[in-house]
């Protein structure tokens, strides 16, 4: 453990970007496996490796580097881990970094897919994605800014982003509003934040068995 930590301290950018980008890429594979359980995904042709490659490109070139620079800059501007500083850092992260990274994910993949309207997915899916992100990342980033050493913060977020990125990949292929509604309406007090499109149209959602 200590030799690994020493390596990270000697090469923080390489270590953090490599860890984040690898987990970001693996999340797309995990999403494909979980989204199509009826198929034998041990066969390579059942995995969309081109899509995984596009996700990896976005993760390595933008998200990993952006988060590395963002967390270093945030720590320099707001050093320390007392309660007030952590609250401000989390607020800045959700108000500034979250919209940028969500926008880069949707528009970047739309651009790589050659879609005529590269902002279409972003317009459709941004708001439900952002609300879900605020609920998920507020606590995770509070832990990050309180307990995780600055040199490891990008890698920590990469680990947390494994499930989040798999969720984003799934949202991109499905109705984001209905998907987030089905997940969060089961939690007390959150139903109003995530109305489903089916409910808005007066259609009853099928009951879960």
């Amino acid at each position: 453990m200590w030799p690994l930590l020493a390596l990270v301290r000697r090469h923080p950018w390489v270590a953090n970007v490599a860890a984040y980008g690898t987990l970001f890429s693996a999340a797309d594979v995990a999403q494909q496996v979980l989204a199509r359980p009826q198929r034998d995904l041990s066969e390579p042709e059942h995995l969309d490796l081109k899509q995984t490659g596009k996700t990896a490109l976005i993760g390595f070139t933008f998200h990993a580097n952006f988060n590395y620079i963002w967390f270093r800059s945030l720590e320099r501007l707001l050093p320390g881990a007392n309660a007030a500083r952590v609250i401000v850092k989390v607020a800045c992260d959700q108000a500034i970094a979250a919209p940028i990274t969500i926008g880069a994910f949707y528009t970047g993949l739309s651009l790589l897919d050659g879609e005529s309207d590269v902002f279409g997915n972003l317009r459709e899916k941004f708001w439900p994605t952002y609300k879900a992100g605020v609920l998920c990342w507020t606590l995770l980033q509070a832990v990050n800014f309180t307990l995780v050493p600055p040199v490891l913060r990008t890698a920590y977020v990469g680990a947390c982003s494994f499930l989040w990125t798999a969720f984003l990949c799934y949202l991109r292929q499905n109705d984001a509003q209905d998907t987030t509604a089905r997940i969060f309406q089961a939690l007390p007090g959150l139903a109003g934040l995530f109305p489903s499109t089916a409910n808005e149209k007066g259609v009853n959602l099928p009951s879960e068995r």
Side-chain angles (χ1 to χ4, degrees):
M1 181 63 183
W2 290 114
L4 180 61
L5 184 58
L7 179 64
V8 173
R9 291 187 182 279
R10 284 199 303 270
H11 307 285
W13 175 76
V14 172
N16 279 278
V17 169
Y20 190 104
T22 300
L23 290 164
F24 200 92
S25 310
D28 180 76
V29 176
Q31 181 272 147
Q32 291 187 45
V33 172
L34 294 173
R36 297 183 291 178
Q38 72 278 12
R39 298 185 183 183
D40 181 9
L41 290 171
S42 62
E43 297 296 328
E45 61 268 21
H46 291 156
L47 290 174
D48 188 348
L49 297 181
K50 287 185 178 180
Q51 186 62 32
T52 300
K54 294 171 185 176
T55 304
L57 182 62
I58 296 294
F60 276 104
T61 59
F62 178 79
H63 283 78
N65 288 285
F66 173 83
N67 278 288
Y68 180 76
I69 295 170
W70 168 252
F71 291 129
R72 284 173 63 90
S73 301
L74 201 59
E75 188 62 29
R76 288 175 180 173
L77 290 172
L78 299 166
N82 60 65
R85 284 294 172 89
V86 169
I87 291 172
V88 173
K89 288 178 184 178
V90 171
C92 289
D93 186 74
Q94 295 306 305
I96 300 172
I100 292 173
T101 54
I102 291 171
F105 177 83
Y106 284 125
T107 58
L109 286 177
S110 293
L111 184 63
L112 293 175
D113 283 342
E115 297 178 7
S116 57
D117 183 3
V118 296
F119 298 106
N121 271 320
L122 180 62
R123 284 194 300 269
E124 176 190 347
K125 302 175 187 294
F126 173 80
W127 189 233
T129 303
Y130 179 73
K131 289 188 292 184
V134 170
L135 290 176
C136 295
W137 281 103
T138 297
L139 177 59
L140 293 175
Q141 293 290 36
V143 172
N144 188 21
F145 295 129
T146 304
L147 301 177
V148 180
V151 71
L152 294 175
R153 284 179 181 166
T154 303
Y156 165 83
V157 170
C160 296
S161 290
F162 178 80
L163 291 178
W164 174 248
T165 304
F167 178 62
L168 288 183
C169 292
Y170 182 80
L171 286 186
R172 189 169 181 270
Q173 306 297 328
N174 295 275
D175 187 307
Q177 189 165 335
D178 276 345
T179 301
T180 53
R182 288 177 180 274
I183 294 173
F184 290 102
Q185 281 186 346
L187 301 177
L190 296 181
L193 293 176
F194 296 91
S196 69
T197 54
N199 285 339
E200 290 176 354
K201 296 176 182 177
V203 177
N204 292 325
L205 293 173
S207 60
E208 298 290 333
R209 292 186 178 181

